[in-house]
Amino acid sequence: MRVFADFHIHTGAAKGRPVKMAASHQLTVAASLDWAARVKGLHVAGLIDAVCDPVLNEIRDLCRSGHLTPVSGGGLMYQASLLVVLGAEVEVRVSNHGAAHFGCWLPTVEAAADFQTWLKTVQSNTGLSSQVARVDPTRLADEVRARGGIFVVHHAFTPFKGLLGSAVARVAEVMPLEALDAVELGLSADADMADRLEEMRHCTLLSNSDAHSLSSIAREFNVLALNELSFEDIRHALHRRGGRSVVANLGLYPPLGKYYRTRCRSCGQVVTSESCGCGASRSVVQGVWDRIEALADQDMPVHPPWRAPYHYIVPLSLIPGVGPRTYVKLLEAFGGEAQLWFDPPSEPALAEVIGPKLAARVSAALNGRLSMSPGGAGHYGRVELV
């Protein structure tokens, strides 16, 4: 079966308490699951703050009310169509240069609760997302694995809290590659960029949204081939077992990411060194493209034969002219947004729904005929369609 999956969805608030400080308070557990299933058309949603105290309590309430039901192979089922994966994003200081975020996915509520109990011994506040843990990455991976979990590097190449973005030059400097189940690329990177590093050719790559709002859910997602919707089948897919696999990554054009190029926060200019002509050297933020240029083992990517193809998308909300009414029309006519991107309708079919002029623009975006200005220093790139 073909499955659309986004494994990195944050929770803004739960039980009346903030969880992810930078996320929208509208991003609740209930709203996230409804949006992921009904609007985005996902089959798997990873709640990456599920181990935080108030979120885990809400999940228990949803289980007691029957809105979430356990799946025999792990995970929880929502409305008979969306598999919910429980997770934690944990920050670990890995070098003198900085800290990195890791994704810890757990198969059951009981495993999540047990992992939370352990986290309380190494974290000061398990009520908030992405908190620092007094532990090394290998020990963290061992604790996840001991509870039947899956361990992932989050947004590997981003300048803030990305393992390779600023903290270290190679994963092997801090942990064995065998301890990882997958590496999440992050919004400003793609498979071509990652596979210029020899180390990455041994890793399954994921493209997840790192959603901080409802609208950003599935702005990047994965297509998996599974036998059934379950946590264990996802594990098999990450390791290409028994016909399960990641068959496609769908993600933003890297230039749309807010950390694509090295930019100066003060003047906004793309810069090619650690200083800027405006004199505000401390405002320069290294971009993902520039970081990979510095780390790369090869000038061109060398993909392993099993690497999933990477397809570029632009969220419908970023296409000029697509407002709320047009967005609803597209979803009603063609299904969830994930389906639209994976199997784009023809321009004539779009024209019947939204008119020929806008249909030409949407079709250009769906099929990669667009131009854009690159992002950097915390500012997203812009789509420039004609």
Side-chain angles (χ1 to χ4, degrees):
M1 63 189 299
R2 185 187 69 199
V3 169
F4 300 147
D6 180 359
F7 296 106
H8 194 156
I9 301 171
H10 282 287
T11 300
K15 293 289 186 181
R17 296 168 52 187
V19 177
K20 182 71 174 179
M21 301 303 291
S24 167
H25 283 197
Q26 294 180 333
L27 196 62
T28 63
V29 171
S32 296
L33 298 183
D34 173 70
W35 200 264
R38 179 175 57 84
V39 178
K40 298 296 184 172
L42 293 177
H43 306 106
V44 180
L47 298 181
I48 203 58
D49 296 324
V51 173
C52 295
D53 301 342
V55 183
L56 189 56
N57 288 335
E58 281 202 1
I59 289 168
R60 287 183 173 122
D61 290 344
L62 290 170
C63 290
R64 282 191 286 266
S65 66
H67 289 92
L68 289 174
T69 56
V71 173
S72 60
L76 300 169
M77 192 61 66
Y78 173 77
Q79 293 187 347
S81 62
L82 181 71
L83 183 73
V84 180
V85 173
L86 308 180
E89 181 172 73
V90 178
E91 181 174 321
V92 177
R93 186 160 188 85
V94 295
S95 74
N96 292 332
H97 297 290
H101 284 173
F102 297 90
C104 311
W105 308 350
L106 289 312
T108 63
V109 173
E110 293 75 18
D114 190 57
F115 183 70
Q116 183 200 65
T117 298
W118 172 77
L119 267 184
K120 288 180 183 296
T121 69
V122 295
Q123 270 186 353
S124 298
N125 187 354
T126 56
L128 293 176
S129 170
S130 314
Q131 297 298 288
V132 178
R134 301 176 298 277
V135 67
D136 66 79
T138 302
R139 170 72 188 284
L140 181 62
D142 288 343
E143 293 293 339
V144 173
R145 200 63 55 83
R147 293 161 177 83
I150 291 171
F151 190 68
V152 179
V153 172
H154 272 183
H155 43 76
F157 297 102
T158 56
F160 300 108
K161 314 304 181 184
L163 181 62
L164 298 173
S166 61
V168 296
R170 294 290 184 272
V171 175
E173 292 179 25
V174 295
M175 64 187 305
L177 285 179
E178 294 75 20
L180 294 176
D181 293 289
V183 171
E184 179 188 277
L185 291 164
L187 299 183
S188 297
D190 61 14
D192 280 348
M193 296 166 72
D195 277 337
R196 291 179 61 194
L197 280 69
E198 193 279 333
E199 192 178 54
M200 289 295 101
R201 298 170 209 154
H202 304 280
C203 302
T204 295
L205 301 179
L206 294 175
S207 46
N208 297 316
S209 68
D210 194 0
H212 285 53
S213 65
L214 290 173
S215 62
S216 60
I217 292 173
R219 61 183 170 182
E220 296 202 343
F221 64 97
N222 311 277
V223 184
L224 310 182
L226 303 181
N227 291 343
E228 63 178 14
L229 275 179
S230 73
F231 189 91
E232 277 306 307
D233 249 39
I234 291 168
R235 187 200 310 278
H236 291 316
L238 297 182
H239 293 279
R240 303 175 299 283
R241 298 173 185 151
R244 296 92 147 185
S245 65
V246 178
V247 297
N249 300 119
L250 284 85
L252 296 177
Y253 285 80
L256 286 176
K258 63 182 181 179
Y259 297 115
Y260 179 63
R261 291 305 310 271
T262 299
R263 279 186 183 269
C264 176
R265 280 175 163 169
S266 295
C267 69
Q269 294 299 308
V270 173
V271 297
T272 57
S273 65
E274 295 182 357
S275 61
C276 180
C278 75
S281 59
R282 291 186 179 181
S283 295
V284 173
V285 178
Q286 186 176 43
V288 171
W289 185 89
D290 304 271
R291 175 65 172 174
I292 290 176
E293 279 288 299
L295 297 181
D297 300 304
Q298 304 286 338
D299 291 335
M300 300 296 292
V302 179
H303 301 300
W306 45 265
R307 174 70 74 229
Y310 195 103
H311 302 295
Y312 301 106
I313 65 174
V314 178
L316 295 177
S317 60
L318 296 184
I319 301 173
V322 177
R325 290 185 180 180
T326 301
Y327 185 72
V328 170
K329 285 182 180 179
L330 288 169
L331 296 184
E332 289 178 346
F334 302 109
E337 193 169 350
Q339 178 63 35
L340 263 170
W341 286 113
F342 184 72
D343 187 16
S346 67
E347 187 173 328
L350 287 166
E352 291 182 7
V353 178
I354 58 177
K357 183 176 181 180
L358 189 52
R361 183 176 292 175
V362 171
S363 181
L366 291 173
N367 293 284
R369 302 189 305 271
L370 47 76
S371 61
M372 64 195 72
S373 58
H379 298 282
Y380 288 102
R382 296 192 308 274
V383 176
E384 298 173 347
L385 291 176
V386 295

